[in-house]
C-alpha cells in the first residue's frame, strides 16, 4: 500500500534532511542538552542551569520564565526527535536508525558510516533516503506525543 506518490516521498525526504541538518541543531543548542545524552532513548534531563537570584526585577523574572518555557519546549522537541529516530528500523539489512543517529546526531561523515556498515556508497545513499522517509513518516505521532507540532515541521 503506497499512501504517497514518489514526488511526495522525495519532498518528505528533503524536508526531513533539512530539518535534521539545520533547525534541529539549533533546537539542541537552545535545549542545553549535551549531545552525549541524545544516544539514550530514555532522555530525562533535570533542571535548568542558571542563577537562582530572587532579587531580580519583575520584568527580568517574566523574561526568565519565558526563556525557561523555550528551553522546555526545545527539550521536548529533542526528545520527540530522538524517540522518532529510536523507533526506526534497525536490522542488519536496514540499519536506518544507525544511519540517522550517526549522520544527524553524532555528525559522522557519510564515508565513515558506510565503511563501518560495510556497504557501498550507493547502497548507503539509498538507505539514508529510506531512513529519512521513515523518520518523516513516524515523526507525526511523536510530535503529537510531546506536543511540539510548532517546532517539528510536518513532513507530508
Amino acid at each position: 500500500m503506497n499512501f504517497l506518490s514518489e514526488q511526495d516521498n522525495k519532498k518528505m525526504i528533503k524536508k526531513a534532511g533539512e530539518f535534521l541538518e539545520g533547525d534541529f541543531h539549533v533546537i539542541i543548542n537552545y535545549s542545553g542538552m549535551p549531545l552525549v545524552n541524545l544516544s539514550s532513548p530514555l532522555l530525562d534531563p533535570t533542571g535548568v542551569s542558571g542563577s537562582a537570584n530572587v532579587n531580580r526585577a519583575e520584568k527580568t523574572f517574566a523574561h526568565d520564565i519565558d526563556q525557561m518555557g523555550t528551553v522546555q519546549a526545545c527539550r521536548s522537541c529533542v526528545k520527540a526527535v530522538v524517540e522518532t529516530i529510536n523507533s526506526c528500523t534497525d536490522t542488519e539489512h536496514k540499519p536506518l536508525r544507525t544511519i540517522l543517529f550517526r549522520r544527524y546526531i553524532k555528525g559522522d561523515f557519510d564515508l565513515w558510516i558506510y565503511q563501518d556498515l560495510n556497504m557501498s556508497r550507493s547502497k548507503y545513499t539509498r538507505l539514508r533516503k529510506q531512513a529519512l522517509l521513515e523518520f518523516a513518516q513516524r515523526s507525526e505521532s511523536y510530535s503529537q506525543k510531546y506536543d511540539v507540532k510548532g517546532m517539528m515541521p510536518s513532513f507530508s
Side-chain angles (χ1 to χ4, degrees):
M1 179 167 30
N2 193 1
F3 288 102
L4 301 170
S5 70
E6 185 67 28
Q7 184 76 8
D8 291 333
N9 287 345
K10 286 181 181 180
K11 286 180 185 176
M12 288 175 71
I13 291 166
K14 183 177 185 225
K15 285 172 81 173
E18 288 171 350
F19 171 73
L20 290 171
E21 288 177 345
D23 290 345
F24 181 56
H25 287 279
V26 173
I27 292 168
I28 290 171
N29 290 339
Y30 276 103
S31 77
M33 297 171 72
L35 284 176
V36 295
N37 289 352
L38 302 185
S39 62
S40 171
L42 302 173
L43 293 173
D44 189 16
T46 57
V48 177
S49 64
S51 172
N53 185 355
V54 294
N55 293 325
R56 296 186 215 191
E58 187 176 314
K59 193 174 194 179
T60 304
F61 183 72
H63 174 72
D64 289 347
I65 295 296
D66 287 344
Q67 290 299 328
M68 190 170 18
T70 300
V71 169
Q72 288 305 110
C74 289
R75 287 181 178 187
S76 292
C77 186
V78 169
K79 289 178 186 181
V81 170
V82 170
E83 199 167 326
T84 302
I85 290 173
N86 282 330
S87 74
C88 290
T89 304
D90 203 38
T91 64
E92 184 179 341
H93 298 290
K94 280 189 168 186
L96 307 184
R97 178 177 55 215
T98 299
I99 290 169
L100 289 169
F101 178 76
R102 290 196 55 194
R103 175 72 171 78
Y104 299 103
I105 303 293
K106 284 184 67 181
D108 285 350
F109 293 108
D110 290 329
L111 175 69
W112 298 350
I113 301 169
Y114 68 75
Q115 284 181 341
D116 288 349
L117 294 173
N118 198 28
M119 64 178 62
S120 69
R121 182 178 179 182
S122 60
K123 181 176 180 180
Y124 168 77
T125 300
R126 183 175 46 79
L127 286 175
R128 184 170 54 85
K129 288 177 183 177
Q130 191 174 355
L132 287 168
L133 180 61
E134 188 169 314
F135 171 83
Q137 291 168 337
R138 292 173 178 261
S139 69
E140 183 67 27
S141 64
Y142 292 100
S143 175
Q144 287 178 8
K145 177 181 177 180
Y146 287 96
D147 194 26
V148 292
K149 282 187 150 194
M151 297 184 81
M152 279 181 74
S154 173
F155 299 108
S156 54

